[in-house]
Amino acid sequence: VGIRAGDQFTPEYTRISPNNRVPAIVDHSPIGGGRPLAIFESGAILLYLAEKTGKFFPQDPAERYTVMQWPMWQAGGLGPAGGQHGHFLLYAREKIPYAIERFGREMRRLYGVLDRRLQETGSYIAGDYSVADIACFPWIMTHKKQGLTLDDFPGLKRWFAEVRARPLVQKGLAVGGGPSQLARPMSDADRGVLFAAPSKPEGLAR
């Protein structure tokens, strides 16, 4: 999906992802069989795949909800704050000091929340490696680009190094090893597609 080209607003993609964002998946062999199943939102995708494969998501109810809290925390806090901080710091035409400071301060607070948890567990977020770690890791990967440091968060720094060193995490990162869609400088046309999307994109027209 070429997000700078506006592929996320096509009718075909809108049928898969009504919010016109990435990621989204279509499972042609869904749980329980039947027709292909489209799922959008990364948290829902992670929980679905964990449910389907029986991996990275415990069966014990107490352990399950211990894990589930953290993808919800990421979706409600770490992800939105990280997205806004990255936008105002890196991509916005106008550098607004209040916005940069506001979201930078919130990111440092959220780093502190995760750091305390990781110092408590001494391992992964919920004990064993799980969808909790998979959900949160990408939002910590951008810390250098966002002008943040892990040096003040020893538990987070240890965890980040351990997760990044996992062989299958390395393999996954290599999949996206080509030029990023957001790597080149952003043009006004790019900003128009990414940050000023139409209120009723083509995919929603009836």
Side-chain angles (χ1 to χ4, degrees):
V1 178
I3 58 176
R4 289 197 185 201
D7 292 350
Q8 66 272 35
F9 298 114
T10 63
E12 294 78 14
Y13 190 73
T14 298
R15 282 193 288 273
I16 296 169
S17 180
N19 197 36
N20 302 106
R21 297 289 187 269
V22 295
I25 66 169
V26 178
D27 186 358
H28 293 273
S29 302
I31 296 173
R35 299 173 61 184
L37 176 64
I39 304 176
F40 71 107
E41 289 296 327
S42 58
I45 293 168
L46 274 178
L47 293 173
Y48 174 79
L49 293 176
E51 186 86 34
K52 181 177 180 179
T53 63
K55 296 179 180 179
F56 310 125
F57 201 28
Q59 295 301 309
D60 176 80
E63 294 179 1
R64 198 174 183 84
Y65 278 93
T66 296
V67 168
M68 196 182 298
Q69 295 172 93
W70 291 97
M72 301 301 167
W73 174 81
Q74 177 271 308
L78 184 64
Q84 293 297 335
H85 185 238
H87 173 78
F88 285 109
L89 180 68
L90 301 171
Y91 301 121
R93 277 199 207 91
E94 181 184 357
K95 301 303 179 186
I96 303 172
Y98 173 79
I100 294 171
E101 172 57 27
R102 163 73 181 89
F103 290 109
R105 186 169 59 247
E106 177 64 0
M107 284 300 288
R108 289 186 288 274
R109 185 190 74 80
L110 292 164
Y111 275 27
V113 172
L114 190 52
D115 180 67
R116 287 191 297 274
R117 173 64 180 177
L118 290 163
Q119 292 201 56
E120 288 173 4
T121 66
S123 55
Y124 296 109
I125 294 174
D128 293 331
Y129 186 71
S130 70
V131 291
D133 305 284
I134 298 169
C136 294
F137 175 75
W139 294 98
I140 308 300
M141 274 202 68
T142 61
H143 67 273
K144 289 182 181 178
K145 191 172 185 180
Q146 293 202 23
L148 300 166
T149 178
L150 302 185
D151 290 341
D152 297 330
F153 307 99
L156 183 57
K157 187 174 184 177
R158 170 197 57 76
W159 168 87
F160 178 75
E162 289 181 9
V163 173
R164 186 162 190 167
R166 290 176 66 91
L168 291 181
V169 172
Q170 287 289 312
K171 185 177 180 180
L173 292 173
V175 172
S180 167
Q181 295 186 62
L182 296 179
R184 62 179 170 80
M186 194 166 291
S187 68
D188 287 344
D190 293 332
R191 286 188 175 88
V193 172
L194 293 171
F195 305 137
S199 59
K200 190 173 183 181
E202 179 188 359
L204 296 181
R206 295 287 182 269

